[in-house]
Amino acid sequence: MRLPLALAASLIFASAARAETPAPSADQPLLRAVAAEVDAKALESTIRSLVGFGTRHTLSDTKSDKRGIGAARRWTKARFEAIGKDCGGCLTIETPAQTVTGKRVPNPTEVMDVLAIQKGTTDPDRVIIIAGHIDSRVTDVMNFTSDAPGANDDGSGVAAVLEAARILSKHRFPATLVYAVLSGEEQGLLGGKVMADFAKARGWKVEADLNNDIVGNSRGISGLADNTHVRIFSEGTKAVETPEQANGRRYNGGEVDSPSRNLARYMDSLADRYLTNFDVKMVYRTDRFGRGGDQVPMLEAGYPAVRVTEAVENYDHQHQDLRTENGKFYGDTIEGVDFAYLAQVTRLNLVTLASLASAPKPPLDVKIAGAVGADTKVSWAPTPGAAGHRVWWRATTEPTWTFSRWVPAGETVTLKDVVIDDYFFGVSSISADGWESPVVYPGPNGAFENLAAGPKP
């Protein structure tokens, strides 16, 4: 994009003036290292184990050690415990649960999540989550006896969670990482609500929830194959937005700059820099049209969250009884999983988790000013642990951040000849060793902090 002459001149001048305080290096070898550790065979082994439980329907057997969701959850807990042993006890295992009845749960049923918590070293209340749901289903959502392998929906997501725990538990991060295997998604997003309630009760400052749901298939129902993209769905405006905030947004903009939307942009940028032949397709929807996932209860609790889903879906292999009709096979079996593709999706999750957990928290109290003027002033509250901040701006019709300015700690910035009317603005936090937070859009509509979260009990 060509800049106006006056703007270009001002940026060149500003860059020269700041030469004595250069921005920290943005390259992070750790991200390439953790991505390289992802093992497609380990992912396959996890899914084969999950499929081996026959059905993992939320209403299925909880007593058997061989079949049903109870056995699958206990197996998952044991896997987390083994990973925790390998890292010297770095994981704390929690199994929050709620007894639920409802439209898809006719009798009181315990819905239990299995969480492995890797406590942060310096900022443990700031929490980054990767999640997938362990329950499965067939055509009739109430059928809890028939085989429901759930290889891709959502054995693939659970495999990504366990592989993230295996690899990232070898490292230490300032923020807390939570590896979450949820139950009850198919019966009404129940596990997501259990996790949201648990996070609120613990007073977690959830910065991001990466919900991986259906991430292992690379060939769509039309026959189209795509193993080089993954879709990231994100809400445009906060589910917890107040009427007053909505009025301000409608007038001044911000419909595409919720924290979840800027989290999606963050993942897109990381894919461009650290992954080979794999890119993010940002989808400006909370979920696929008319459908839902466990990120929705997290959003409703005020936490930034996205849904990670394969680029092309095959609906013949989702929510189907196992059968063959007119030569066509239906059902969610392991044959429908592309493990090399799943490994790429897992790599994206790992670099995102490691980057978020290493960076300072996103800046607070971001503000802009400059009405009826030629310049825009951008301000924010100082961020603990940040060596400085980067101010970002883009034309209002651009999907991603285009221009930026590094600002050392303790300084603010006035963007000369950048008219406030013509651009959207944001700010990210950067540590001395170059770790960068997601961009925060000005005002409450773009803020990452969750005002709905309660104090610790």
Side-chain angles (χ1 to χ4, degrees), residues 233-246:
F233 292 82
S234 59
E235 68 173 4
T237 58
K238 286 185 176 181
V240 295
E241 184 180 67
T242 67
E244 292 77 14
Q245 291 166 355

Side-chain angles (χ1 to χ4, degrees), residues 225-365:
D226 187 344
N227 63 0
T228 62
H229 295 89
V230 66
R231 292 180 293 171
I232 307 296
F233 292 82
S234 59
E235 68 173 4
T237 58
K238 286 185 176 181
V240 295
E241 184 180 67
T242 67
E244 292 77 14
Q245 291 166 355
N247 284 334
R249 170 184 53 77
R250 280 192 293 268
Y251 201 82
N252 293 315
E255 295 86 354
V256 293
D257 276 284
S258 70
S260 300
R261 187 63 48 80
N262 278 314
L263 177 59
R265 293 186 177 103
Y266 189 79
M267 297 178 74
D268 184 27
S269 173
L270 289 170
D272 291 342
R273 291 158 53 196
Y274 293 102
L275 301 184
T276 301
N277 199 28
F278 198 70
D279 197 13
V280 164
K281 284 185 176 180
M282 291 189 295
V283 184
Y284 284 10
R285 284 194 171 106
T286 299
D287 208 305
R288 299 148 307 157
F289 192 80
R291 304 177 74 182
D294 278 319
Q295 79 281 4
V296 173
M298 294 294 286
L299 293 168
E300 291 172 345
Y303 300 120
V306 296
R307 180 186 177 117
V308 184
T309 295
E310 62 204 22
V312 288
E313 295 183 69
N314 189 331
Y315 310 112
D316 290 341
H317 297 165
Q318 296 176 17
H319 301 179
Q320 296 283 351
D321 292 337
L322 302 178
R323 68 194 191 279
T324 300
E325 293 180 357
N326 300 319
K328 178 183 290 188
F329 178 76
Y330 295 83
D332 187 2
T333 61
I334 200 163
E335 289 77 15
V337 179
D338 180 341
F339 299 104
Y341 175 77
L342 175 56
Q344 287 284 67
V345 178
T346 304
R347 292 183 183 104
L348 175 64
N349 278 273
L350 260 68
V351 299
T352 303
L353 293 165
S355 184
L356 288 168
S358 299
K361 71 179 182 181
L364 301 175
D365 199 26

Side-chain angles (χ1 to χ4, degrees), residues 4 22 37 63 78 98 113 121 125 127 132-133 144 162-163 193 236 274 291 316 321 343 389 393 415 418-419 433 441:
E37 289 190 56
K63 303 299 183 183
Q98 295 177 10
D113 295 342
T121 56
D125 288 339
V127 174
H133 72 84
F144 60 87
L162 287 169
E163 185 71 347
K193 183 179 185 305
Y274 293 102
R291 304 177 74 182
D316 290 341
D321 292 337
H389 297 80
W393 66 103
L415 301 173
V418 179
V419 179
D433 48 0
Y441 185 82

Side-chain angles (χ1 to χ4, degrees), residues 37-313:
E37 289 190 56
V38 173
D39 184 353
K41 291 188 179 300
L43 296 165
E44 179 179 357
S45 177
T46 293
I47 296 177
R48 288 192 181 279
S49 295
L50 293 171
V51 168
F53 293 109
T55 179
R56 305 187 306 278
H57 193 285
T58 300
L59 308 183
S60 63
D61 194 334
T62 60
K63 303 299 183 183
S64 171
D65 289 329
K66 296 182 178 180
R67 183 177 178 85
I69 194 167
R73 286 191 298 230
R74 289 190 292 276
W75 177 87
T76 301
K77 183 172 181 286
R79 286 287 298 121
F80 278 143
E81 289 171 343
I83 293 169
K85 184 177 180 180
D86 288 344
C87 67
C90 73
L91 299 181
T92 300
I93 314 302
E94 299 275 6
T95 54
Q98 295 177 10
T99 299
V100 176
T101 55
K103 183 179 180 180
R104 293 186 176 185
V105 187
N107 300 310
T109 300
E110 184 180 55
V111 175
M112 178 186 294
D113 295 342
V114 184
L115 312 180
I117 302 169
Q118 182 177 338
K119 189 175 181 179
T121 56
T122 58
D123 198 2
D125 288 339
R126 186 163 62 91
V127 174
I128 319 297
I129 301 170
I130 177 174
H133 72 84
I134 199 170
D135 57 301
S136 61
R137 60 167 287 188
V138 289
T139 305
D140 179 0
V141 72
M142 302 304 294
N143 179 353
F144 60 87
T145 59
S146 295
D147 281 353
N152 192 32
D153 184 13
D154 185 32
S156 61
V158 173
V161 171
L162 287 169
E163 185 71 347
R166 182 184 73 83
I167 295 169
L168 296 182
S169 62
K170 301 174 185 178
H171 304 273
R172 297 296 173 263
F173 301 96
T176 292
L177 290 173
V178 175
Y179 312 99
V181 175
L182 312 180
S183 300
E185 194 269 354
E186 304 289 7
Q187 306 310 115
L189 314 183
L190 305 176
K193 183 179 185 305
V194 170
M195 184 169 67
D197 290 348
F198 184 79
K200 185 175 181 180
R202 290 293 181 94
W204 285 352
K205 301 172 184 176
V206 178
E207 186 175 309
D209 168 41
L210 312 182
N211 183 43
N212 285 256
D213 197 349
I214 313 181
V215 292
N217 164 65
S218 60
R219 186 172 294 276
I221 193 169
S222 68
L224 176 68
D226 187 344
N227 63 0
T228 62
H229 295 89
V230 66
R231 292 180 293 171
I232 307 296
F233 292 82
S234 59
E235 68 173 4
T237 58
K238 286 185 176 181
V240 295
E241 184 180 67
T242 67
E244 292 77 14
Q245 291 166 355
N247 284 334
R249 170 184 53 77
R250 280 192 293 268
Y251 201 82
N252 293 315
E255 295 86 354
V256 293
D257 276 284
S258 70
S260 300
R261 187 63 48 80
N262 278 314
L263 177 59
R265 293 186 177 103
Y266 189 79
M267 297 178 74
D268 184 27
S269 173
L270 289 170
D272 291 342
R273 291 158 53 196
Y274 293 102
L275 301 184
T276 301
N277 199 28
F278 198 70
D279 197 13
V280 164
K281 284 185 176 180
M282 291 189 295
V283 184
Y284 284 10
R285 284 194 171 106
T286 299
D287 208 305
R288 299 148 307 157
F289 192 80
R291 304 177 74 182
D294 278 319
Q295 79 281 4
V296 173
M298 294 294 286
L299 293 168
E300 291 172 345
Y303 300 120
V306 296
R307 180 186 177 117
V308 184
T309 295
E310 62 204 22
V312 288
E313 295 183 69

